[in-house]
Amino acid sequence: MKVKSSSVRRVVAILAPVVGFILLSILFLGTYFIRKRRTQQQYEMEMEEEFGELQGTPMRFTFQQLKAATEQFADKLGEGGFGSVFKGQFGDERIAVKRLDRAGQGKKEFSAEVQTIGSIHHINLVRLIGFCAEKSHRLLVYEYMPKGSLDRWIYHQHDNDSPPLNWSTRCKIITHIAKGLAYLHEECMKKIAHLDIKPQNILLDDDFNAKLSDFGLCKLIDRDMSQVFTRMRGTLGYLAPEWLTSQITEKADVYSFGVVVMEVISGRKNLENSRSEESIHLITQLEEKIDCKRRPKMSEVVKVLEGAMNAESNIDHNFVVTSQVYFGAAGNVVSSVPPLASH
Ligand SMILES: *[C@@H]1O[C@H](CO)[C@@H](O)[C@H](O)[C@H]1NC(C)=O
């Protein structure tokens, strides 16, 4: 008996610290993982709150509010690169709500939009009223633009029954785009390059006032930095040639602006695949030497458009030979004489 009890004591003496150690380890690991999970949740909540606490930023909506404002996302206005846009009503204001795809794509674009147009204001930029960042939902709330995007109006075969826009309206729209861009490039704290200027991203209000929208691809450029290096973005047909060398400045917008102006004047798309091989590119019909440094600043463009500056004497525009421009559809748009491309 005595022998047995002493051996039991020995076993207990060996096992006790081992069991104790295992129990302590479990306790340690348990609290570690619980705390880790809690900090992760806290982190996510802080990330959500971060948007809400920024000063001077737009309103923050709950998902429920926007669901109600759009009547369960019933009236779809269109589909963009990263989500769909729905019509809505908040109080007595008509709104457009863009819902980003769930796939997680477009998170970067969401932040870019909230941080750029959320903090700047100009009559020729679409106003960001607010946003929603709740769980996985990401939505942006804009002022509603009743006439939709410019591409619905300028082309020879436009998709609505209204008569074609007259020259004065077309000129007004071009001037508004130029003013919006001049503001982004020259008047903001940081230069903003939009990088996706095209008719689909230019919206019109009831009186055909034009406003730039869709800042998801925009880039902030430090004023002391002349170039940004960035991956290829934008839309084929509106991309400046320097994208091939990936040295990008806000002058890429000036190029895209030029393409849009050509389209507004000629009534046809720059890239039109149904045309014969050599005239597919409206732009290739201009014999050009390409140098982004020789593109004018947008504020100069605005001055010329408003007649406050003389294009002939102040802007070196020898880089475009205008004699071969073919205004294919312009004759169908209005019967007046098409203006010279150099203007
Ligand atoms: C051009 O169209 C606008 C908008 O439809 C209209 O208000 C304006 O009076 C027109 N201008 C001319 C010169 O026809």
Side-chain angles (χ1 to χ4, degrees):
M1 271 319 244
K2 250 195 175 171
V3 175
K4 238 186 181 175
S5 80
S6 76
S7 69
V8 166
R9 223 176 283 147
R10 262 172 66 189
V11 170
V12 168
I14 293 166
L15 276 184
V18 173
V19 171
F21 178 75
I22 290 170
L23 281 177
L24 264 177
S25 303
I26 290 170
L27 202 72
F28 252 118
L29 285 174
T31 47
Y32 171 75
F33 279 118
I34 287 169
R35 276 183 72 171
K36 194 176 164 192
R37 232 180 102 185
R38 201 176 294 156
T39 48
Q40 179 125 20
Q41 280 172 349
Q42 218 166 6
Y43 174 74
E44 275 169 11
M45 270 171 71
E46 277 164 11
M47 285 287 281
E48 275 188 25
E49 266 159 22
E50 194 180 297
F51 287 112
E53 283 167 4
L54 288 175
Q55 290 288 313
T57 50
M59 256 169 90
R60 189 168 184 159
F61 292 89
T62 65
F63 185 66
Q64 209 53 41
Q65 275 176 314
L66 294 182
K67 212 166 135 185
T70 57
E71 291 175 337
Q72 329 275 338
F73 303 102
D75 191 354
K76 195 173 187 172
L77 295 169
E79 203 142 341
F82 297 98
S84 308
V85 184
F86 301 89
K87 193 175 168 180
Q89 179 94 24
F90 191 74
D92 49 12
E93 189 168 23
R94 285 181 298 176
I95 55 174
V97 179
K98 185 197 232 172
R99 188 175 62 183
L100 271 69
D101 296 329
R102 287 287 182 79
Q105 257 206 337
K107 288 269 162 77
K108 244 197 196 148
E109 286 73 13
F110 176 84
S111 300
E113 290 244 15
V114 173
Q115 280 162 21
T116 51
I117 59 162
S119 58
I120 57 176
H121 303 278
H122 189 270
I123 183 98
N124 298 119
L125 305 182
V126 163
R127 191 163 57 90
L128 182 70
I129 297 170
F131 66 96
C132 165
E134 190 181 306
K135 294 188 191 127
S136 65
H137 301 297
R138 293 290 182 275
L139 300 97
L140 295 157
V141 183
Y142 303 95
E143 63 179 312
Y144 176 66
M145 299 293 282
K147 293 273 197 280
S149 55
L150 185 58
D151 59 305
R152 291 182 51 213
W153 295 91
I154 51 172
Y155 300 123
H156 170 43
Q157 293 163 315
H158 60 301
D159 66 354
N160 65 61
D161 304 327
S162 319
L165 299 180
N166 59 32
W167 282 125
S168 61
T169 304
R170 283 171 198 257
C171 285
K172 178 170 95 171
I173 289 170
I174 288 171
T175 307
H176 287 174
I177 303 168
K179 282 182 174 175
L181 282 174
Y183 173 74
L184 291 178
H185 293 174
E186 297 169 43
E187 287 161 51
C188 294
M189 291 280 275
K190 278 196 173 177
K191 262 194 247 182
I192 299 173
H194 184 285
L195 302 184
D196 200 15
I197 292 296
K198 55 180 176 179
Q200 290 81 354
N201 288 343
I202 294 155
L203 303 181
L204 302 166
D205 73 5
D206 267 322
D207 302 319
F208 291 103
N209 294 305
K211 300 182 189 224
L212 307 181
S213 78
D214 228 316
F215 284 71
L217 297 183
C218 76
K219 264 282 185 211
L220 302 179
I221 307 174
D222 283 324
R223 291 232 163 258
D224 52 359
M225 235 169 87
S226 58
Q227 287 170 348
V228 287
F229 295 86
T230 179
R231 74 192 154 81
M232 190 102 158
R233 52 180 79 195
T235 304
L236 212 63
Y238 303 89
L239 289 175
E242 63 266 25
W243 280 108
L244 294 175
T245 65
S246 76
Q247 300 200 324
I248 287 302
T249 68
E250 74 282 4
K251 288 293 174 75
D253 284 345
V254 183
Y255 180 95
S256 310
F257 169 76
V259 178
V260 173
V261 171
M262 293 297 294
E263 294 191 344
V264 169
I265 292 173
S266 70
R268 60 159 284 198
K269 284 192 171 79
N270 177 32
L271 271 183
E272 207 163 302
N273 296 323
S274 59
R275 295 213 168 224
S276 67
E277 190 71 24
E278 66 274 18
S279 68
I280 279 184
H281 247 90
L282 179 60
I283 289 303
T284 57
Q285 308 211 353
L286 302 170
E287 211 176 274
E288 57 177 340
K289 284 180 261 146
I290 294 153
D291 181 0
C292 62
K293 290 190 189 71
R294 292 173 76 185
R295 288 176 209 149
K297 290 193 335 194
M298 285 312 297
S299 58
E300 293 171 340
V301 175
V302 172
K303 281 184 196 149
V304 170
L305 285 168
E306 292 184 325
M309 188 168 132
N310 190 343
E312 313 301 324
S313 57
N314 289 295
I315 296 176
D316 172 17
H317 53 96
N318 285 332
F319 55 92
V320 171
V321 177
T322 55
S323 57
Q324 294 167 4
V325 183
Y326 167 64
F327 286 99
N332 301 322
V333 177
V334 271
S335 53
S336 64
V337 182
L340 291 173
S342 63
H343 291 90

